[in-house]
Amino acid sequence: MIDSRKGGKPLGGALLDVLLKRTPDRRPMWFMRQAGRYLPEYRAVRQRAGSFVDLCYNPELASEVTIQPLRRYDLDAAILFADILVVPHAMGLPLKFEEGEGPVLGTVRSLDDLNALRPLVGSYEVRQVCETVRLTRSSLAHDKALIGFCGGPWTVASYMVAGGSSDRVDAKLAAFRRDPWFVALIDRLVVESIEYLVAQAEAGAQAVQIFDSWAGDLIGDQLQEFVLDPISRIVAGVQARVPGLPVIVFARGIGSHQIKAAALPGVNAIGVETELGLDEIDVNVALQGNLDPVALLAGEDVARREALMVCAKIPKERHIFNLGHGIRLGTDPAVVGAVVDAVRRSEA
Ligand code: 1CP
């Protein structure tokens, strides 16, 4: 899949070029949370779908919102529209999103809770998500990459322990104590995440990103054991079954430890948080990031200036332009467009 060619160009365009260390014809660019409530066309589809969860499992509508940002902007990649909490949901935990309050998820706080979960393979949820991947791939232009994703085990576990968004203190406590149920939960999430990413790749995702948004909670042995080792096992497990599948690791907030994330075998790029300059780390893989999403709230002039400063730090051969975290609610779509145009013009 990743090497098939059409029109003389490799499938997947500039994004896959940078991930696979080929020379891209332009700086690849996409935005975390590029589909979402800041776009009026997203809000319209979301209303038709009913709830956010209904939208995630409606392949026609999920595929539509996956593609919407590429209709508006000259981007290089679409990211599958789903959520990191699809994994625990597909394992049997109830999930809903309360308006304005974020996710409400069933909890896992013991070995009994963990053992009650089912494997996600073959679940309704995963079948629907994979159908979204197939539909989206079949309607995307050949030079646009389709990115699949899952959450990092630490981040997903933190939601499972708390039953939703939290300060992650209960998960941290379990990590410090190495509670056997928590260690087993992380191991289980490694296994299920491998299955989930392999299913997405087989359905047509050409690269995958692991979102460990709360990785910066941990340091030292805990960072190694609950963030870096599990991610490393996922990368190895996925690439054993889908050889050469490019992987982007977004372990947000780990600062100088990004060097360790970049050195994990099989990793093709790391996503870097806004707080760390792209010229402050010396690694052998591509860097993705890291415009501050807050800069997009500051108007077109500021956003353009900051975006060009990010690009000035790194050549396009090693860079995937993105934000340091997701687009914020309240972002003006015109400002996103101004950033895309500025990055494109700077290379002309
Ligand atoms: O319709 C809506 O308004 C719901 C808002 C929304 C959206 C658009 C949520 C709720 N999730 C998503 C989609 C989503 N989530 C995508 C796909 C589309 C894209 O990027 O364009 C992805 C990759 C995610 C990943 C995700 N979900 C993360 C990791 C990335 C990050 O932002 O740190 C996390 C932590 C979640 C959990 C989540 N999903 C949604 C909410 C409100 C939350 C909780 C966030 C928190 O605890 O702060």
Side-chain angles (χ1 to χ4, degrees):
M1 178 104 224
I2 36 185
D3 280 322
S4 58
R5 280 161 194 262
K6 208 169 161 187
K9 286 206 162 190
L11 191 65
L15 180 85
L16 279 231
D17 286 342
V18 166
L19 289 172
L20 297 174
K21 295 193 169 165
R22 302 184 296 232
T23 305
D25 56 11
R26 62 184 200 170
R27 194 179 292 262
M29 175 161 42
W30 67 282
F31 293 83
M32 290 188 281
R33 292 279 177 105
Q34 64 193 20
R37 275 185 294 174
Y38 77 105
L39 288 180
E41 60 269 35
Y42 169 84
R43 293 197 296 270
V45 174
R46 164 92 152 67
Q47 202 159 20
R48 263 167 65 205
S51 71
F52 173 73
V53 172
D54 292 335
L55 176 54
C56 288
Y57 303 132
N58 182 322
E60 281 79 21
L61 297 184
S63 173
E64 166 62 20
V65 296
T66 301
I67 293 167
Q68 280 175 345
L70 284 86
R71 291 208 188 95
R72 231 183 221 269
Y73 310 118
D74 184 16
L75 301 171
D76 298 281
I79 179 154
L80 165 69
F81 189 84
D83 196 82
I84 62 167
L85 301 180
V86 163
V87 165
H89 195 210
M91 293 167 75
L93 282 190
L95 171 67
K96 59 185 176 164
F97 282 80
E98 302 282 12
E99 213 55 60
E101 282 179 38
V104 180
L105 182 67
T107 55
V108 171
R109 295 173 187 159
S110 68
L111 276 178
D112 283 347
D113 291 345
L114 179 60
N115 291 334
L117 298 179
R118 56 177 190 239
L120 59 66
V121 170
S123 65
Y124 168 79
E125 290 81 8
V126 170
R127 277 188 280 124
Q128 297 306 99
V129 168
C130 288
E131 186 54 25
T132 302
V133 172
R134 269 186 286 274
L135 275 179
T136 308
R137 186 58 265 170
S138 68
S139 52
L140 273 182
H142 81 275
D143 60 343
K144 306 295 180 189
L146 177 57
I147 304 170
F149 74 93
C150 70
W154 163 254
T155 293
V156 175
S158 77
Y159 286 91
M160 296 170 82
V161 171
S165 302
S166 72
D167 54 11
R168 282 92 57 206
V169 164
D170 289 340
K172 252 178 140 167
L173 265 175
F176 274 124
R177 293 191 196 122
R178 294 194 167 69
D179 285 338
W181 65 268
F182 187 77
V183 174
L185 171 59
I186 295 286
D187 286 345
R188 180 74 190 274
L189 286 171
V190 167
V191 171
E192 300 293 344
S193 302
I194 293 168
E195 296 295 333
Y196 186 48
L197 293 180
V198 167
Q200 291 178 39
E202 287 175 346
Q206 295 149 299
V208 293
Q209 174 157 323
I210 301 170
F211 285 87
D212 220 345
S213 302
W214 302 119
D217 286 343
L218 302 181
I219 53 164
D221 290 349
Q222 280 75 238
L223 177 66
Q224 192 64 45
E225 184 171 346
F226 297 110
V227 171
L228 297 172
D229 290 348
I231 289 176
S232 182
R233 287 157 58 204
I234 293 174
V235 178
V238 171
Q239 289 177 342
R241 287 170 53 194
V242 189
L245 182 74
V247 180
I248 306 167
V249 171
F250 179 54
R252 187 170 69 93
I254 66 173
S256 56
H257 301 292
Q258 290 291 358
I259 292 170
K260 295 182 190 159
L264 299 176
V267 171
N268 300 74
I270 54 168
V272 179
E273 63 270 21
T274 295
E275 294 78 5
L276 184 66
L278 296 185
D279 52 358
E280 289 175 61
I281 36 171
D282 185 15
V283 298
N284 213 359
V285 300
L287 298 184
Q288 177 174 280
N290 66 350
L291 176 64
D292 192 333
V294 176
L296 295 178
L297 301 175
E300 294 189 12
D301 290 344
V302 172
R304 265 194 293 259
R305 181 192 75 206
E306 295 297 315
L308 294 178
M309 278 172 59
V310 169
C311 294
K313 291 181 177 165
I314 181 164
K316 70 174 192 294
E317 288 74 18
R318 296 185 47 233
H319 188 210
I320 301 161
F321 184 88
N322 205 314
L323 304 176
H325 198 189
I327 291 185
R328 299 174 76 99
L329 191 60
T331 298
D332 177 353
V335 176
V336 176
V339 165
V340 174
D341 293 346
V343 173
R344 293 290 175 238
R345 267 201 309 273
S346 73
E347 288 168 10

